[in-house]
Amino acid sequence: MSGVLASVDQRTQLVGENRLELLLFYLHSRHLFALNVFKVKEVVKLPHLSIIPHAHPKISGVANIRGESIPVIDLRQAICMSAAKNTEDSNLVITEYNRTVQGFLIGKVDQIVNMTWSDIMPPPSSIGKNHYLTALTKIQRDGQEQLVEIIDVEKVLAEIVEYEVQISDEVLDQSIVNEFVGRKILHADDSPTARKQVSDTLTQLGIEIIPASNGLEALNMLKAWADKGMDVEKELLMVITDAEMPAMDGYRLTHEIRNDNRLKNLHVVLNTSLSGSFNQAMVEKVGCNAFLSKFQPDLLVEEVQTRLKAVLAPQK
């Protein structure tokens, strides 16, 4: 296991190439789960946890890692399984999502696998809406396929730390606030929680959000509209896309948009929980117009408002 854990911080170079690497692990059960390696800072044996009175029931305590206090979420309990029992196989996965660092209590670490996003499948609609999966994939093991369940961490975190969608009064330019009404934005994200966060924020302004669950679905929508003769660049105020999604990631989606003459001038905003410094470089590489770290409603509204002002400027 030490070789697997030591390699985590060296596994970021594939992001942006429609590839990813998954950290596979168990939750003291036979099911195999996964997290995206790029969001993992490190994996350590479960240290001593300090209990916090009146903490959320899914918080097992706080770990002190090199002087930093990190809240530890019982991942079994967070996805509505029974609470974890600490054993010699227990590990702590330290992750960074949405500008916060937290640890997830897991069981045995299995391995890291290298995949393409085309290998990643969305959860079937037949399992309903109350699951905690953002995607599924399969690996070959002992001559047989084994299912891997990729956890929707954004949903897990949103249920522990409630997100705010209230827009601050000082953010809005009252002289153009009525211009938001009826504008359309295409939003691609594989997390239903992330899609709801953006929708709950921007629909307050009268904006219509058109959802897509991955980059390929979004691209197919755009091309279908263009094929029907729609002026997509005028119809949409912008495209907001997550970075990492099944079938096609946000970087590839942007690349495809820029290489279609009917779509190339669309305003594309990368909205992701991944590292800001890394994504600034990727924004420049693939041609996004802006990068926005999740989830900051005021900054989201400011970005949309800035774009709206640019659209309105030629009309004045």
Side-chain angles (χ1 to χ4, degrees):
M1 183 180 71
S2 61
V4 171
L5 305 189
S7 66
V8 165
D9 61 355
Q10 302 171 8
R11 301 289 183 133
T12 63
Q13 66 271 24
L14 297 179
V15 178
E17 303 296 331
N18 214 41
R19 301 184 67 84
L20 77 161
E21 289 187 315
L22 297 174
L23 175 68
L24 308 187
F25 57 89
Y26 295 93
L27 291 175
H28 303 292
S29 69
R30 62 184 179 84
H31 298 282
L32 195 55
F33 295 93
L35 293 174
N36 191 324
V37 167
F38 194 72
K39 298 177 183 179
V40 175
K41 292 170 69 69
E42 62 180 316
V43 184
V44 298
K45 295 300 295 181
L46 183 64
H48 170 76
L49 300 181
S50 300
I51 305 302
I52 304 176
H54 311 299
H56 191 283
K58 295 178 181 180
I59 300 288
S60 297
V62 171
N64 187 297
I65 306 294
R66 291 182 293 279
E68 182 179 6
S69 295
I70 298 175
V72 175
I73 298 167
D74 179 346
L75 196 49
R76 272 184 61 93
Q77 197 170 8
I79 62 173
C80 293
M81 298 170 68
S82 59
K85 295 181 179 179
N86 295 347
T87 69
E88 61 180 16
D89 285 336
S90 296
N91 291 282
L92 182 64
V93 180
I94 301 172
T95 67
E96 184 172 359
Y97 283 83
N98 303 351
R99 311 175 321 283
T100 65
V101 175
Q102 54 279 309
F104 291 105
L105 171 58
I106 65 168
K108 180 182 178 182
V109 172
D110 184 70
Q111 62 175 313
I112 289 175
V113 293
N114 184 325
M115 314 193 83
T116 69
W117 278 103
S118 59
D119 297 322
I120 310 299
M121 306 168 290
S125 58
S126 58
I127 66 175
K129 296 181 179 181
N130 295 323
H131 60 83
Y132 289 83
L133 305 181
T134 190
L136 300 169
T137 191
K138 294 178 181 179
I139 61 169
Q140 289 290 330
R141 176 160 293 173
D142 300 326
Q144 296 183 333
E145 283 189 335
Q146 184 170 0
L147 189 68
V148 179
E149 303 175 46
I150 304 173
I151 293 175
D152 186 349
V153 176
E154 289 173 350
K155 179 176 181 178
V156 168
L157 295 177
E159 292 185 353
I160 295 173
V161 182
E162 292 187 18
Y163 62 84
E164 293 287 340
V165 297
Q166 188 65 38
I167 303 169
S168 302
D169 291 338
E170 59 269 20
V171 169
L172 291 174
D173 183 341
Q174 295 300 323
S175 68
I176 64 166
V177 70
N178 292 332
E179 295 286 348
F180 286 111
V181 179
R183 303 284 177 171
K184 297 177 182 179
I185 292 176
L186 176 62
H187 178 214
D189 200 303
D190 59 324
S191 169
T193 298
R195 293 199 301 271
K196 189 173 189 304
Q197 288 171 337
V198 169
S199 178
D200 286 351
T201 301
L202 297 182
T203 53
Q204 296 176 68
L205 303 174
I207 295 173
E208 179 185 345
I209 303 299
I210 304 169
S213 59
N214 59 66
L216 183 59
E217 182 181 339
L219 183 64
N220 287 340
M221 284 184 187
L222 292 169
K223 288 183 175 293
W225 293 334
D227 289 343
K228 291 178 180 179
M230 180 188 295
D231 188 337
V232 182
E233 295 173 355
K234 288 185 177 180
E235 188 73 17
L236 293 180
L237 183 61
M238 64 170 59
V239 174
I240 299 175
T241 178
D242 187 20
E244 301 195 294
M245 298 175 285
M248 179 182 290
D249 64 25
Y251 308 111
R252 174 50 94 184
L253 170 61
T254 305
H255 174 80
E256 294 294 333
I257 288 172
R258 297 297 179 235
N259 283 274
D260 188 319
N261 287 332
R262 304 167 301 173
L263 308 171
K264 65 182 181 180
N265 294 318
L266 278 169
H267 191 88
V268 181
V269 176
L270 192 71
N271 183 214
T272 175
S273 58
L274 293 175
S275 163
S277 58
F278 174 83
N279 275 295
Q280 285 298 153
M282 289 304 303
V283 162
E284 296 176 6
K285 179 178 178 181
V286 302
C288 294
N289 296 96
F291 163 72
L292 188 62
S293 180
K294 293 179 181 177
F295 173 67
Q296 304 175 82
D298 281 351
L299 292 184
L300 174 62
V301 170
E302 286 179 353
E303 185 63 41
V304 174
Q305 185 167 254
T306 298
R307 174 57 182 162
L308 179 57
K309 288 180 177 179
V311 170
L312 294 175
Q315 302 174 14
K316 295 181 178 180

